[in-house]
Structure formats: structure tokens, C-alpha cells
Amino acid sequence: TGTFSYTTYHTLEEIDEFIDLLVAENPNLVSKIEIGNSYEGRPLNVLKFSTGGSNRPAIWIDTGIHSREWVTQATGIWFAKKITEDYGQDETLTAILDSMDIFLEIVTNPDGFAYTHSSNRLWRKTRSINAGSSCVGVDPNRNWDAGFGLTGASSNPCSETYHGKSAFSEVEVKSVVDFVTNHGNIKAFISIHSYSQLLMYPYGYTATQATHQAELDEVAKAAVDNLASLYGTKYEYGSTITTIYQASGSSIDWTYNSGIKYSYTFELRDTGYYGFLLPAKQIIPTAQETWLGLITIMDYTLNHPY
Amino acid sequence: KEDFSGHQVLRISTANEAQVEKVRELEKLEHLQLDFWRGPSYPSIPIDVRVPFPSVQSVKVFLEANGIKYSTMIEDVQLLLDEEQEEMLAFRSRARS
């Protein structure tokens, strides 16, 4: 992984090779877990970073639930390498990994991601067939059991925000849900998207404030301040519904309602030049600055147990 | 591969709730095959939408007729995709050699 190119976009096969290489190079720190298979049968790979102990409190990060948001998967690759480089070198990350595990799912929606490389670069959804419709796929970030089917998702299978026939109908979503539920000790859940430069916390499906709104807001502010300290990239932050729009059935609303207090969604660069087509030369700066936001949330999670 | 030649991404700036509602009407017109990259929400938040070439004129006429401001964020989606592909191919070629 030392000669892997972090400045270009990669196919699913290349990402899978990277994952296997990283595991081989760091057998005492990194392992690969298969949490299920996608609709089309691809493995759902999660990297586990752990320094030992069983069922430690953990942090979940996913970087690719919407397949066309290529900078997120690329950022996930960079994070994985960064974690292996910084453990034992960086005080904050070392302290986190000495007490907690980190789970990283670089490609949450591999069918969609493969499809963006083979057929349609702008594909967002899963690739499941919808009975009675010629339109394929479900928005995997409208398929969670949190305000499922309410305003902020579409009941039309042809829509980009189609919520699916029922909550957790998508195997890519259900696999994460089962993993998180069975683990039972996930303390922070961070989902990474692009674009718009936002850091959001629950809720998206309701205007009701989260019980921990003040604390989540304070942590978000610290995270975006740290993120901006590198290149001056400005982020807005707040609850999903107040910051961007009403969105029902999203992952972090479900995780928060399931007891994971530190539930956040990032929307990475940019604010409106390239959108989902961010040039590859921006991958590393995007990842570097996002890491600062991420480490702020992870450090806070370590130091504020609940 | 899907060809996005002539597709534009428009950035729509709404001034009030009534204009947001107008854009929501646009969202419901399935025949236009619009792809909202950032959907309509509040007047202060920009809306980004990918418009296929055959719908570009209709969408712009609709926005102008309703006094809704917009700018072109991406002139031709396919040009950006071609650049992206060229970069990836160049990387693979370097990697092989």
C-alpha cells in the first residue's frame, strides 16, 4: 500500500486488492470482516482496526453508501492507510485505538459502485430489482427504520430517493444494521457523503430536536473548526433537517434512535463547482481535512463515554 | 456507458418559499428526467439539478418564466467525465509500465 495511488479514483477490484494488502501488511492491527453480501452477491467488506480485547467500544465509519460520490470511497482508502501510519505515532489516534476499535466500510454499496464504473457514472442507488417497476434500485440512505417512508423520501421506484418497499429491505443496509446491533457496543457512527461541505447530526425526518442536540452541536463545531484549520474549507453544521432538507429513513437517525449518541454525517467537498465529479487531485486534500474533523469526533467519543 | 453529452448541471437560487414550491413542481415532471443533486428545501439553500440535453431548454424557460435565478454549474457533464476517465486510464498505463 506504500505505492498505491491515493490521487486517483479506483475500481471496486482495486479497492478490494488494497484492502487485502493493508491487512497483509498490518496483521496485528487490521483485519477484514465480511458482514454480508450485496444484492448482486458481492462481499460487504469492513476493515476492523483493533489493538486487542474483545468487544471493545467501537467507532463505525462508512464512506460509500451513495455509489456516485467517488470522493468518499477514495477518502475511505486514505483513512485506512492513515490509521495504520498514525497508530503508535499520533498521540490522539493511538489513545483511541488503545481503548476502542474502529470499523471502516469503504464501499457500502458495491453493486452501485461497480455500476458507476461500468455503465453509469452517476448511479446513486443500490441495484436491486423493484417488483412491478422497470426502475432499478433503492436509495440506501432512505431505507433505514427511522421515520421510514415519511416526507423526505420518495415512494416512486424511479426516483433517486426511493425508500424501498420496507425499512431495511436492502441487504446492504440490513447487513450494517445486523452488524451494529450484534456488536452492541458502537459508540459513534459516522457516515460520509459528498457534496456540500456539511456536518450533520440527527434528526432528518423530524424537526424535533435530538435529546443531545446541544452536545452534538458543540462537537460538530469543534470538528468543523479543526477541519477548516488545514485549508480553510468552510463547513456548515447542524441537524439534517435544518441544515439541508427533510430526509426520512437515513442511517444516522436510526443509529441515534438505537442509542448511538455520536451519530454524524459528513458531506465532503465541494459547494458547487464539480458536485459528484470532484477532480481526483482534490482527493488527498479532502481526505486530509476530513480526517481532522473525524479525529475530533473520535477523540471526543473516547473522552466522553456513556 | 451512459452518455451525458450536453447534460448541464444548473444551480438554482430561490428567493422565497413560493419559488421553492415552483421548483418542487419541476421535480414532479418525470418526463424531464431531472436528477436533483441537491433537492429543493429552504429558499436560502441552493438547488443543483442535472438536466439532460433534451430538457435544458424547457427547464430554463420554466425558471425564467417564474423569475427564478439560476446559473450553469457544469456546462457539459460528459466533458468532465471524459477528463476523469482519461486520468484513470493514464494512471493505469503508468502503473502497468
Side-chain angles (χ1 to χ4, degrees):
Chain A
T1 59
T3 56
F4 187 86
S5 174
Y6 299 88
T7 57
T8 191
Y9 291 116
H10 291 277
T11 62
L12 186 61
E13 292 72 23
E14 288 165 351
I15 294 174
D16 285 341
E17 280 172 25
F18 166 83
I19 285 172
D20 289 338
L21 268 177
L22 196 75
V23 172
E25 289 170 357
N26 303 277
N28 297 323
L29 180 63
V30 194
S31 56
K32 181 175 84 171
I33 302 171
E34 215 175 290
I35 63 167
N37 288 93
S38 68
Y39 181 82
E40 292 177 341
R42 295 181 174 87
L44 299 170
N45 293 322
V46 173
L47 283 171
K48 178 182 181 182
F49 299 87
S50 179
T51 57
S54 63
N55 199 38
R56 284 182 168 185
I59 293 163
W60 170 275
I61 303 164
D62 61 80
T63 57
I65 202 165
H66 286 144
S67 46
R68 65 186 177 183
E69 299 171 8
W70 277 13
V71 73
T72 64
Q73 293 90 357
T75 295
I77 294 168
W78 189 92
F79 289 162
K81 180 67 176 169
K82 177 76 172 163
I83 293 170
T84 61
E85 285 176 340
D86 279 10
Y87 179 68
Q89 305 292 324
D90 177 82
E91 202 177 306
T92 308
L93 180 74
T94 304
I96 292 166
L97 275 175
D98 281 344
S99 299
M100 306 181 82
D101 295 338
I102 297 174
F103 294 100
L104 172 62
E105 190 177 22
I106 295 175
V107 186
T108 312
N109 174 12
D111 296 350
F113 189 69
Y115 198 68
T116 62
H117 280 273
S118 65
S119 303
N120 182 343
R121 169 66 179 85
L122 292 174
W123 190 260
R124 163 189 171 98
K125 300 190 283 183
T126 62
R127 292 293 301 162
S128 58
I129 289 168
N130 296 305
S133 171
S134 59
C135 294
V136 170
V138 166
D139 183 339
N141 205 32
R142 297 292 185 280
N143 189 240
W144 302 64
D145 193 10
F148 177 81
L150 300 180
T151 305
S154 174
S155 58
N156 178 357
C158 298
S159 164
E160 295 291 351
T161 56
Y162 175 49
H163 51 54
K165 65 177 188 293
S166 58
F168 305 147
S169 61
E170 299 311 284
V171 68
E172 296 82 0
V173 172
K174 184 68 165 57
S175 299
V176 178
V177 166
D178 288 346
F179 177 78
V180 168
T181 306
N182 292 334
H183 186 282
N185 205 10
I186 306 272
K187 296 298 183 186
F189 187 103
I190 303 159
S191 191
I192 297 191
H193 291 246
S194 76
Y195 63 99
S196 295
Q197 294 173 200
L198 306 170
L199 177 55
M200 296 175 289
Y201 49 79
Y203 286 108
Y205 71 89
T206 173
T208 304
Q209 288 194 350
T211 310
H212 307 93
Q213 153 104 15
E215 185 181 5
L216 292 172
D217 199 74
E218 194 182 314
V219 177
K221 183 183 184 316
V224 302
D225 284 349
N226 201 13
L227 185 156
S229 69
L230 191 59
Y231 296 114
T233 307
K234 285 187 181 162
Y235 266 56
E236 290 180 22
Y237 61 95
S239 69
T240 307
I241 195 169
T242 58
T243 309
I244 184 161
Y245 42 57
Q246 187 164 11
S248 59
S250 70
S251 62
I252 62 163
D253 284 0
W254 178 80
T255 55
Y256 184 77
N257 284 344
S258 302
I260 301 175
K261 181 160 74 165
Y262 306 120
S263 291
Y264 286 96
T265 294
F266 278 89
E267 297 273 359
L268 307 186
R269 293 186 186 187
D270 57 22
T271 54
Y273 292 101
Y274 299 102
F276 301 123
L277 310 179
L278 197 70
K281 67 182 176 199
Q282 290 201 43
I283 292 171
I284 290 182
T286 302
Q288 287 171 325
E289 67 189 10
T290 308
W291 178 252
L292 297 181
L294 206 54
I295 203 89
T296 304
I297 297 171
M298 294 197 293
D299 185 42
Y300 188 90
T301 304
L302 172 69
N303 292 312
H304 296 80
Y306 62 93
Chain B
K1 278 192 178 177
E2 185 96 16
D3 186 350
F4 294 94
S5 296
H7 289 221
Q8 294 191 346
V9 179
L10 303 182
R11 165 151 290 199
I12 300 169
S13 305
T14 49
N16 51 46
E17 190 53 44
Q19 290 193 345
V20 174
E21 268 312 309
K22 278 286 167 198
V23 180
R24 287 203 179 101
E25 283 176 25
L26 202 57
E27 201 177 14
K28 288 175 191 151
L29 301 176
E30 284 184 27
H31 68 280
L32 295 175
Q33 301 209 300
L34 305 181
D35 170 16
F36 279 81
W37 287 12
R38 296 222 290 180
S41 55
Y42 310 109
S44 57
I45 298 179
I47 300 159
D48 297 338
V49 58
R50 176 174 60 82
V51 186
F53 179 70
S55 303
V56 167
Q57 208 178 344
S58 310
V59 170
K60 289 183 176 178
V61 166
F62 178 91
L63 294 172
E64 285 161 19
N66 288 286
I68 301 171
K69 287 185 181 162
Y70 67 91
S71 59
T72 306
M73 179 172 140
I74 298 175
E75 284 280 353
D76 188 337
V77 169
Q78 190 59 44
L79 287 180
L80 280 184
L81 295 181
D82 290 344
E83 281 174 27
E84 191 178 71
Q85 275 302 306
E86 278 167 26
E87 274 186 32
M88 288 176 73
L89 288 172
F91 159 74
R92 286 200 179 80
S93 166
R94 281 197 305 274
R96 269 197 301 275
S97 65

